[in-house]
Amino acid sequence: MRETKTVEFKEEITNTFLKTVSAFSNYDGGEIYFGIDDDGNIKGLSDVKQACLDIENKINASITPQPDYTLEVQNQDRTIKLIVKSGRNKPYLYKSKAYRRNDTSTIEVDNLEFSRLILEGKNVKFEDLPCDQQKLTFYTLEKLLKEHIQLESFDQDTLKTLNLYNNNTGYTNAAGILADENHFPGVDMVRFGDSISIILKRVTVEHVSALTVYARAVDVFRDYYQYEIIQGQDRREMYKIPEEAFREAIANALIHRVWDMDSQIRVSMFDDRVEVVSPGGLPPGITEDEYLDGKLSVLRNRNLANVFYRLGFVEVFGTGIARIKELYKESLSQPAFEVSENTIHLVLPVVEKNLDLTDDERAVYKALSRTMLKSIREIMPNVEFGKSKVTQLLKEMSNKGIIQIEGKGRGTKYIRK
């Protein structure tokens, strides 16, 4: 056993564990083991019964409000397990400060995070707070509602129905995010060349309705990943990357991001992929596995999501990841998802249809690049075959016209066609 974000060891009972009690109560809960050193070695406590009393007294006297915890005594090795549950009455303070876990350490939260804990403790979301701007217009929202759901009239009652306006406090932050002009961030889109040091084009869309941000992002995407096939007199639009997958990625980035952080959604466009990075990790109450498997959907911005749902831009019930995966069902290259504490990173590769490859050929093909020549030495660490078999597989794929071979002898290199 080792220390993690939700597990901490304490060889002795000192006040330092109280910061971690605050952190576990404020976030996802966790366990503190007393009588175990930092390396996980069991040392035991001299008087387990008195130690339990000391732990209880310290928590009850030092943490406000009262956290939800239990103590379990391990008599066999004279250790104590303190189980701290995530609380509802956040923030939980130790010496008037709130704490959080940062990997295996415990640190004080900053002012922004402290404000979020206060809202969470009151069961209030940022999108429900009164917007700093109260002189707002909604021509874009009105136009789209009339187009998509045949709304006959648009007035303040419409905004009330969408939970964007309150008689007592006025427009909410959700209304500000959807207003024609606002102070909120948007999206920063960069088209790269052969490397990230070569920027071919940059488009930043901000301080406008999230609906405008969404539409503009899709337009820029089409400029680079849409093409036409002419068959006789017919023109057929094709996409290197499924447009529906990109739409889902941008819509989800907008409705699930944290809006109290002055940071753009970042879209990086390459020849072989698009990367979308959304500010803010997963909302409380959902794990990474649940998010990636589509087992559970927790909406950070419910009112914003409701508008996108009514317009047909997203499915509210957490099917976005599943829909993206389904769009790549027949592709050799698959989307990738990376979740961190402060971001969600999505990679949408160019679709590569099943090229009738054997399992062994597929393994070698995946080890190759679309943009960079690779030698046998660079391919070998990514496959389980010997050099002679890899060479033979590359030759067979070259004969099929799937890969391109350049150079001779030791200088021979390979690339996907």
Side-chain angles (χ1 to χ4, degrees), residues 10-53:
K10 292 293 182 183
E11 187 172 348
E12 298 176 349
I13 300 172
T14 63
N15 287 344
T16 57
F17 85 92
L18 294 167
K19 295 180 180 179
T20 305
V21 173
S22 165
F24 287 162
S25 298
N26 284 326
Y27 294 93
D28 300 322
E31 300 169 350
I32 304 174
Y33 291 82
F34 296 92
I36 301 178
D37 68 17
D38 292 341
D39 297 322
N41 301 312
I42 296 175
K43 300 296 184 179
L45 300 165
S46 58
D47 188 339
V48 175
K49 185 176 180 180
Q50 183 60 47
C52 283
L53 291 174

Side-chain angles (χ1 to χ4, degrees), residues 44-63:
L45 300 165
S46 58
D47 188 339
V48 175
K49 185 176 180 180
Q50 183 60 47
C52 283
L53 291 174
D54 290 343
I55 293 169
E56 288 184 21
N57 290 334
K58 286 179 181 294
I59 293 176
N60 296 340
S62 304
I63 305 293

